Amino acid sequence: MKEGNMKKVIKIEGGHELNGEVTISGSKNATVALIPSAILAQGPITIVGVPTISDVDSLSEILGDLNVKVTKLAQDHIIIDPTDIKNIPLESSAVTKLRASYYFMGALLGRFGEVKMKMPGGCYLGPRPIDLHLKGFEALGASVKYEQGSYTIKAEKLVGTKIFLDISSVGATINIMMAAVYAQGRTTIENAAKEPEIIDVATLLNKMGAQVRGAGTNEITIDGVDKLMGCFHEIIPDRIEAGTFIILAAAAARKMKINNIIPQHLDSLLSKLEEMGVKMMVEIDSVTIEKSDELNAVSIKTLPYPGFATDLQQPLTTLLTQCSGESTVKDTIYPERFKHCIELQRMGADIELSPGKSFIKGPTKLYGDKVTATDLRCGASLVVAGLIADGITEIHEISHIDRGYEDIDGKLKNLGANIWREEIED
Ligand code: EPU
């Protein structure tokens, strides 16, 4: 059989009760911004807590194209040395493998006043424009041209200014912050996003010597500096991976402890789970979930942080199929982020869809089937479903899952799940 005819799937035999402890890895969405921001320094940056996910491989490949040296010291420990960086156009396939490659726009523009790169890729969650990033660069004095699938963004000089974001976009906030660190004078981002990952990036930039204030609030100011130095940084835990394991514990565990979390980052999820009747004990950096006899239906509306995270509505939907009554999920961030519902319906879920919303009736028994991870968090929702379904669930397109969850099968195996990878005929 030719190699091209084979593909890898994840298989899960449902019904094995989970038990034990799991440790959450470093935040994917912080990492994918921290790695590009490292090129703003004029010396080596050491980052600890880097998750082993394919998005990191793609970003490392892009760093390689830029002649930036990446050394892996331990599994989660890298040194990025941009001393000999060369600002070449970013046109490799790695750029289109993930959305976060767009952070090289802000970073290279900030460092060199010029960047040329292909349109970034990433999960399809409906339209994902980058107009606010580009308007931010223009406000700082750059010109933006889009020709034959590539952006050229150039500035003779970047000058600080006031930028109001029409939508508090995570990506635009971080990209503008990176473009502004070397700009002349003060940049103020109003209606900035407040996600913890933004604070993490600002913390790294400040350790390098930048002057970023107000990250975590809706007004961020950046006072331009002349030089940024190498430093050491430890990434915050992944609140979305933590949320995924908390949800799957509520669905499938007798007793499970999730370690290395920042509970405050998970407030909106934990309060919903409490409303559902999930038994849990929250400690300083962990949460323990115990099996509950019956769970109640709830209504969720996704919002920018600190509201309910859009990234968690997909895995939560699977848990809602096990709750008594009708739950509703409204996604105000990505109204088309409901492809997982079609896959869950295939497994027996009673879900109705209307634009931007899903209505989930439960409890319903789920049955193993062949399903597709259409995007990263859809994959997470199918893993949760596979753990509680009757029979075997076969998940296709697992590269989406590997983009954002470190060793998800290994972590679940340790907890008692029967999960494995298989190569099957395409
Ligand atoms: N938006 C615009 N114009 C822009 C930018 C955003 O209209 O220029 C809109 C988007 O279409 C969306 C909303 O603003 O409706 C918010 O998007 P945001 O820019 O905040 O999202 P993002 O930066 O592209 C990050 C995460 C996503 C997460 C969203 C929302 C990374 C790499 N990605 O995306 O994570 O869903 O914030 O919290 O940080 C995931 O991890 O599975 C994932 C998709």
Side-chain angles (χ1 to χ4, degrees):
M1 180 88 45
K2 274 197 226 145
E3 217 183 284
N5 295 335
M6 305 298 286
K7 68 171 179 187
K8 278 225 167 91
V9 296
I10 288 182
K11 289 194 176 179
I12 306 172
E13 184 189 54
H16 295 269
E17 206 169 50
L18 307 185
N19 226 336
E21 299 195 15
V22 63
T23 299
I24 298 306
S25 305
S27 161
K28 162 200 165 254
N29 286 345
T31 304
V32 297
L34 293 167
I35 292 177
S37 69
I39 65 149
L40 286 160
Q42 281 148 46
I45 303 285
T46 303
I47 310 183
V48 170
V50 181
T52 305
I53 53 175
S54 63
D55 272 6
V56 169
D57 299 335
S58 306
L59 291 171
S60 302
E61 206 178 313
I62 298 173
L63 288 177
D65 294 342
L66 292 168
N67 203 37
V68 174
K69 205 167 147 207
V70 184
T71 315
K72 197 164 174 167
L73 283 191
Q75 202 202 338
D76 71 335
H77 193 152
I78 60 171
I79 300 178
I80 301 173
D81 187 352
T83 310
D84 299 320
I85 186 167
K86 288 196 183 105
N87 187 18
I88 59 141
L90 294 179
E91 279 161 348
S92 73
S93 62
V95 176
T96 53
K97 281 193 188 143
L98 78 168
R99 179 117 188 117
S101 46
Y102 61 30
Y103 287 131
F104 281 105
M105 286 182 176
L108 288 168
L109 179 66
R111 172 111 194 226
F112 295 103
E114 179 167 359
V115 51
K116 184 166 186 218
M117 69 177 279
K118 267 197 200 165
M119 183 71 187
C123 288
Y124 183 78
L125 311 173
R128 297 180 76 182
I130 58 165
D131 55 313
L132 299 173
H133 306 230
L134 303 175
K135 276 189 198 161
F137 300 147
E138 283 172 338
L140 291 169
S143 66
V144 177
K145 248 206 287 176
Y146 183 68
E147 263 173 1
Q148 295 171 338
S150 281
Y151 286 98
T152 305
I153 308 168
K154 265 192 204 173
E156 292 228 324
K157 188 162 93 175
L158 293 165
V159 181
T161 185
K162 242 185 209 172
I163 298 166
F164 181 89
L165 296 179
D166 295 339
I167 303 171
S168 56
S169 151
V170 175
T173 303
I174 293 179
N175 239 337
I176 295 169
M177 236 162 52
M178 296 200 289
V181 285
Y182 283 123
Q184 185 187 318
R186 173 169 291 188
T187 302
T188 307
I189 310 174
E190 291 178 349
N191 196 31
K194 296 184 280 198
E195 272 68 2
E197 294 74 24
I198 292 164
I199 305 179
D200 211 24
V201 176
T203 305
L204 173 68
L205 295 173
N206 286 340
K207 284 182 189 169
M208 291 177 186
Q211 298 278 329
V212 182
R213 304 279 173 265
T217 75
N218 58 14
E219 186 170 306
I220 299 179
T221 59
I222 304 115
D223 286 313
V225 295
D226 293 334
K227 192 161 185 190
L228 296 176
M229 313 295 289
C231 66
F232 172 90
H233 186 73
E234 184 167 359
I235 301 171
I236 55 169
D238 193 314
R239 64 192 167 98
I240 308 301
E241 189 200 12
T244 304
F245 273 92
I246 291 169
I247 289 165
L248 69 84
R254 180 145 50 84
K255 189 170 179 186
M256 193 170 134
K257 189 172 181 200
I258 297 106
N259 294 311
N260 192 32
I261 67 161
I262 299 177
Q264 199 197 350
H265 292 173
L266 289 154
D267 272 348
S268 57
L269 172 68
L270 297 177
S271 72
K272 272 296 159 196
L273 294 180
E274 206 169 309
E275 194 183 325
M276 288 163 69
V278 173
K279 284 188 208 156
M280 55 189 165
M281 190 174 64
V282 181
E283 289 170 281
I284 293 172
D285 62 355
S286 70
V287 56
T288 304
I289 309 284
E290 280 192 57
K291 193 179 172 72
S292 308
D293 298 328
E294 200 184 310
L295 297 175
N296 312 312
V298 291
S299 290
I300 311 285
K301 183 172 163 189
T302 70
L303 288 167
Y305 186 83
F308 195 92
T310 168
D311 298 340
L312 287 175
Q313 65 89 351
Q314 292 168 288
L316 188 78
T317 298
T318 308
L319 181 61
L320 295 177
T321 67
Q322 304 307 302
C323 297
S324 302
E326 183 171 287
S327 297
T328 57
V329 173
K330 180 172 180 184
D331 199 323
T332 71
I333 312 285
Y334 295 116
E336 292 182 32
R337 200 176 198 175
F338 287 98
K339 293 219 169 71
H340 59 294
C341 293
I342 315 289
E343 304 301 311
L344 291 172
Q345 282 167 342
R346 212 189 293 281
M347 296 177 71
D350 183 350
I351 304 180
E352 264 181 51
L353 290 170
S354 75
K357 274 191 185 170
S358 63
F359 302 89
I360 305 113
K361 282 203 192 107
T364 46
K365 186 108 209 79
L366 299 181
Y367 298 93
D369 207 325
K370 284 184 189 167
V371 285
T372 302
T374 53
D375 59 82
L376 168 59
R377 310 298 171 188
C378 166
S381 78
L382 298 176
V383 169
V384 182
L387 293 169
I388 55 175
D390 253 12
I392 291 177
T393 300
E394 183 176 301
I395 307 177
H396 292 236
E397 304 293 336
I398 58 173
S399 60
H400 287 296
I401 300 177
D402 293 334
R403 282 192 38 219
Y405 287 93
E406 175 174 271
D407 190 23
I408 192 162
D409 4 355
K411 288 184 179 184
L412 285 170
K413 260 185 220 154
N414 278 341
L415 292 161
N418 193 11
I419 176 170
W420 68 99
R421 287 179 188 229
E422 228 175 83
E423 223 169 347
I424 62 161
E425 218 174 305
D426 198 355

